[in-house]
Coordinates of all heavy atoms in Angstrom, one line a residue:
D261 N 16.5 45.2 -89.7 CA 16.3 45.9 -88.5 C 16.0 44.9 -87.4 O 15.1 44.1 -87.5 CB 15.2 46.9 -88.7 CG 15.0 47.8 -87.5 OD1 15.7 48.7 -87.3 OD2 14.1 47.4 -86.6
I262 N 16.7 45.0 -86.3 CA 16.5 44.1 -85.1 C 16.2 44.9 -83.9 O 17.0 45.8 -83.6 CB 17.8 43.2 -84.9 CG1 18.1 42.4 -86.1 CG2 17.6 42.3 -83.7 CD1 19.5 41.8 -86.1
T263 N 15.2 44.6 -83.2 CA 14.8 45.2 -81.9 C 15.3 44.3 -80.8 O 14.8 43.1 -80.8 CB 13.3 45.5 -81.8 OG1 12.9 46.4 -82.8 CG2 13.0 46.1 -80.4
H264 N 16.2 44.7 -80.0 CA 16.7 43.8 -78.9 C 15.8 43.9 -77.7 O 15.5 42.9 -77.1 CB 18.1 44.2 -78.5 CG 19.1 44.0 -79.6 ND1 19.5 42.7 -80.0 CD2 19.6 44.8 -80.5 CE1 20.3 42.9 -81.1 NE2 20.4 44.1 -81.4
Y265 N 15.3 45.1 -77.4 CA 14.3 45.2 -76.3 C 13.9 46.7 -76.3 O 14.3 47.6 -77.0 CB 14.9 44.8 -74.9 CG 16.2 45.4 -74.5 CD1 16.2 46.6 -73.7 CD2 17.4 44.8 -74.8 CE1 17.4 47.1 -73.3 CE2 18.6 45.3 -74.3 CZ 18.6 46.5 -73.6 OH 19.7 47.1 -73.2
F266 N 12.8 46.8 -75.4 CA 12.1 48.1 -75.3 C 12.4 48.7 -73.9 O 12.4 47.8 -72.9 CB 10.6 48.0 -75.5 CG 10.3 47.6 -76.9 CD1 10.0 46.3 -77.2 CD2 10.2 48.5 -77.9 CE1 9.6 45.9 -78.5 CE2 9.8 48.1 -79.2 CZ 9.5 46.8 -79.5
L267 N 12.4 49.9 -73.7 CA 12.4 50.6 -72.4 C 11.4 51.7 -72.4 O 11.2 52.4 -73.4 CB 13.8 51.1 -72.1 CG 14.9 50.1 -71.9 CD1 16.3 50.7 -72.1 CD2 14.8 49.4 -70.6
K268 N 10.8 51.9 -71.2 CA 9.8 52.9 -71.1 C 10.0 53.8 -70.0 O 11.1 53.8 -69.3 CB 8.4 52.3 -71.0 CG 8.2 51.4 -69.7 CD 6.9 50.8 -69.7 CE 6.7 50.0 -68.4 NZ 5.3 49.6 -68.1
E269 N 9.0 54.6 -69.6 CA 9.1 55.6 -68.5 C 9.8 55.0 -67.2 O 9.5 53.8 -66.9 CB 7.8 56.2 -68.1 CG 7.2 57.0 -69.2 CD 6.4 56.3 -70.2 OE1 6.2 55.0 -70.2 OE2 5.8 57.0 -71.1
N270 N 10.6 55.8 -66.6 CA 11.2 55.5 -65.3 C 12.3 54.5 -65.4 O 12.6 53.8 -64.4 CB 10.2 55.2 -64.3 CG 9.1 56.3 -64.1 OD1 9.5 57.4 -64.0 ND2 7.9 55.9 -64.1
Y271 N 12.9 54.3 -66.6 CA 14.0 53.4 -66.7 C 15.2 54.2 -67.2 O 15.1 55.1 -68.0 CB 13.7 52.3 -67.8 CG 13.0 51.2 -67.1 CD1 11.5 51.2 -67.1 CD2 13.6 50.1 -66.6 CE1 10.8 50.2 -66.6 CE2 12.9 49.0 -66.0 CZ 11.5 49.1 -66.0 OH 10.8 48.1 -65.4
F272 N 16.4 53.8 -66.8 CA 17.6 54.4 -67.4 C 17.8 53.6 -68.7 O 17.5 52.5 -68.9 CB 18.8 54.0 -66.5 CG 18.9 54.9 -65.2 CD1 18.5 54.3 -64.0 CD2 19.2 56.2 -65.3 CE1 18.5 55.1 -62.9 CE2 19.2 57.0 -64.1 CZ 18.9 56.4 -62.9
C273 N 18.5 54.3 -69.6 CA 18.8 53.7 -71.0 C 20.1 54.2 -71.4 O 20.4 55.4 -71.4 CB 17.7 54.2 -71.9 SG 18.0 53.6 -73.6
T274 N 20.9 53.3 -71.9 CA 22.2 53.5 -72.6 C 22.6 52.2 -73.2 O 21.9 51.2 -73.1 CB 23.3 54.0 -71.5 OG1 24.4 54.5 -72.2 CG2 23.6 53.0 -70.6
I275 N 23.7 52.2 -73.9 CA 24.3 51.0 -74.4 C 25.4 50.7 -73.4 O 26.5 51.3 -73.4 CB 24.9 51.2 -75.8 CG1 23.8 51.6 -76.8 CG2 25.4 49.8 -76.3 CD1 22.5 50.8 -76.9
L276 N 25.1 49.9 -72.4 CA 25.8 49.8 -71.1 C 27.2 49.5 -71.3 O 28.1 50.2 -70.7 CB 25.1 48.8 -70.2 CG 25.5 48.8 -68.7 CD1 25.3 50.2 -68.1 CD2 24.9 47.7 -68.0
G277 N 27.6 48.5 -72.1 CA 29.0 48.2 -72.2 C 29.8 49.3 -72.9 O 30.9 49.6 -72.4
S278 N 29.2 49.9 -73.9 CA 29.9 51.0 -74.5 C 30.0 52.2 -73.6 O 31.0 52.8 -73.6 CB 29.1 51.4 -75.8 OG 29.6 52.5 -76.4
F279 N 29.0 52.5 -72.9 CA 29.0 53.6 -72.0 C 30.0 53.4 -70.8 O 30.8 54.3 -70.5 CB 27.6 53.9 -71.4 CG 27.5 55.0 -70.4 CD1 27.5 56.3 -70.9 CD2 27.3 54.8 -69.0 CE1 27.4 57.3 -70.0 CE2 27.2 55.8 -68.2 CZ 27.2 57.1 -68.6
L280 N 30.0 52.3 -70.2 CA 30.9 52.1 -69.1 C 32.3 51.9 -69.4 O 33.3 52.4 -68.8 CB 30.4 50.9 -68.3 CG 29.1 51.0 -67.6 CD1 28.7 49.7 -66.9 CD2 29.1 52.2 -66.6
E281 N 32.6 51.2 -70.6 CA 33.9 50.9 -71.0 C 34.4 51.8 -72.2 O 35.6 51.7 -72.6 CB 34.0 49.4 -71.5 CG 33.6 48.5 -70.4 CD 33.3 47.1 -70.9 OE1 33.4 46.8 -72.1 OE2 33.0 46.2 -70.0
Q282 N 33.5 52.7 -72.7 CA 33.9 53.6 -73.8 C 34.4 52.8 -75.0 O 35.5 53.2 -75.6 CB 34.9 54.7 -73.3 CG 34.2 55.6 -72.3 CD 33.1 56.5 -72.9 OE1 33.3 57.5 -73.5 NE2 31.8 56.0 -72.8
T283 N 33.6 51.8 -75.4 CA 33.9 51.0 -76.6 C 32.9 51.2 -77.7 O 31.8 51.7 -77.3 CB 34.0 49.5 -76.2 OG1 32.7 49.2 -75.6 CG2 35.2 49.2 -75.2
I284 N 33.2 50.8 -78.8 CA 32.3 50.9 -80.0 C 31.0 50.0 -79.7 O 31.2 48.8 -79.3 CB 32.9 50.5 -81.3 CG1 34.1 51.3 -81.6 CG2 32.0 50.4 -82.5 CD1 33.9 52.7 -82.0
A285 N 29.9 50.5 -79.9 CA 28.6 49.8 -79.8 C 28.1 49.3 -81.0 O 28.1 50.0 -82.1 CB 27.6 50.8 -79.1
L286 N 27.6 48.1 -81.0 CA 27.0 47.5 -82.2 C 25.5 47.9 -82.2 O 24.8 47.8 -83.2 CB 27.1 45.9 -82.1 CG 28.5 45.5 -82.2 CD1 28.6 44.0 -82.1 CD2 29.2 45.9 -83.4
E287 N 24.9 48.2 -81.0 CA 23.5 48.6 -80.9 C 23.4 50.1 -80.9 O 24.3 50.8 -80.7 CB 22.9 48.0 -79.6 CG 23.1 46.5 -79.4 CD 24.4 46.1 -78.8 OE1 25.2 47.0 -78.4 OE2 24.6 44.9 -78.8
G288 N 22.1 50.5 -81.1 CA 21.8 51.9 -81.1 C 20.5 52.1 -80.2 O 19.9 51.1 -79.8
I289 N 20.1 53.4 -80.0 CA 18.9 53.7 -79.3 C 18.0 54.5 -80.2 O 18.5 55.5 -80.7 CB 19.2 54.5 -78.0 CG1 20.2 53.7 -77.1 CG2 17.9 54.8 -77.3 CD1 20.8 54.5 -76.0
Q290 N 16.7 54.1 -80.4 CA 15.8 54.8 -81.2 C 14.6 55.1 -80.4 O 14.1 54.3 -79.7 CB 15.5 54.0 -82.5 CG 14.6 54.7 -83.5 CD 14.4 53.9 -84.7 OE1 14.4 52.7 -84.7 NE2 14.1 54.6 -85.8

């Protein structure tokens, strides 16, 4: 299991490349 980074209140969150380009993401959000 690898944590790339954390996000907290008042931040946007997505897998940016996958979201913008609609490509397969290697990362997930937990």
Side-chain angles (χ1 to χ4, degrees):
D261 183 82
I262 301 167
T263 300
H264 297 284
Y265 53 90
F266 298 97
L267 293 163
K268 62 180 184 168
E269 292 87 0
N270 303 314
Y271 279 88
F272 288 104
C273 177
T274 191
I275 306 301
L276 193 59
S278 177
F279 180 72
L280 294 176
E281 300 166 1
Q282 293 295 275
T283 55
I284 300 290
L286 300 176
E287 303 87 6
I289 304 169
Q290 183 177 27

